[in-house]
């Protein structure tokens, strides 16, 4: 049980620390925000990647636009990356 809690804690730290933005265009004030997480199950990884994405958008004081794209890679630990357009 302790190992599970350790892995969850590591996933939370990774999800919170991994957020990236890439400019959508030079003219627009929109960016492609992202968040990622690595967890034991796909459901947890998706949830934490979504939470990291929301934190990334909130940290930019932007508003989410469009749908969230989520890509997950299964393995011993599942790694998910979430992206969404965010505009100021």
């Amino acid at each position: 049980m302790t190992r599970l809690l350790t892995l969850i804690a590591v996933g939370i730290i990774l999800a919170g620390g991994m957020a990236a933005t890439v400019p959508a265009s030079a003219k627009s004030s929109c960016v492609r925000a992202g968040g990622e997480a690595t967890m034991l199950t796909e459901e947890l990884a998706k949830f934490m990647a979504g939470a990291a994405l929301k934190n990334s958008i909130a940290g930019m004081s932007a508003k989410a636009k469009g749908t969230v794209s989520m890509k997950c890679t299964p393995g011993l630990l599942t790694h998910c990356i979430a992206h969404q357009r965010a505009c100021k």
Side-chain angles (χ1 to χ4, degrees):
M1 189 65 170
T2 302
R3 183 178 172 131
L4 174 63
L5 293 175
T6 301
L7 288 173
I8 289 173
V10 168
I12 290 170
I13 291 168
L14 287 175
M18 300 291 202
T21 60
V22 178
S25 69
K27 186 188 282 187
S28 175
S29 62
C30 295
V31 295
R32 184 174 183 225
E36 61 183 283
T38 302
M39 302 297 285
L40 282 175
T41 66
E42 185 173 344
E43 293 81 19
L44 279 173
K46 283 182 177 181
F47 175 78
M48 293 306 295
L53 173 63
K54 288 179 184 176
N55 287 339
S56 174
I57 293 171
M60 294 184 284
S61 299
K63 294 196 182 227
K65 301 276 185 176
T67 60
V68 175
S69 69
M70 182 83 63
K71 181 180 178 186
C72 296
T73 307
L76 180 61
L77 296 174
T78 302
H79 179 77
C80 292
I81 300 173
H83 287 108
Q84 186 173 23
R85 186 177 168 146
C87 301
K88 288 189 178 187

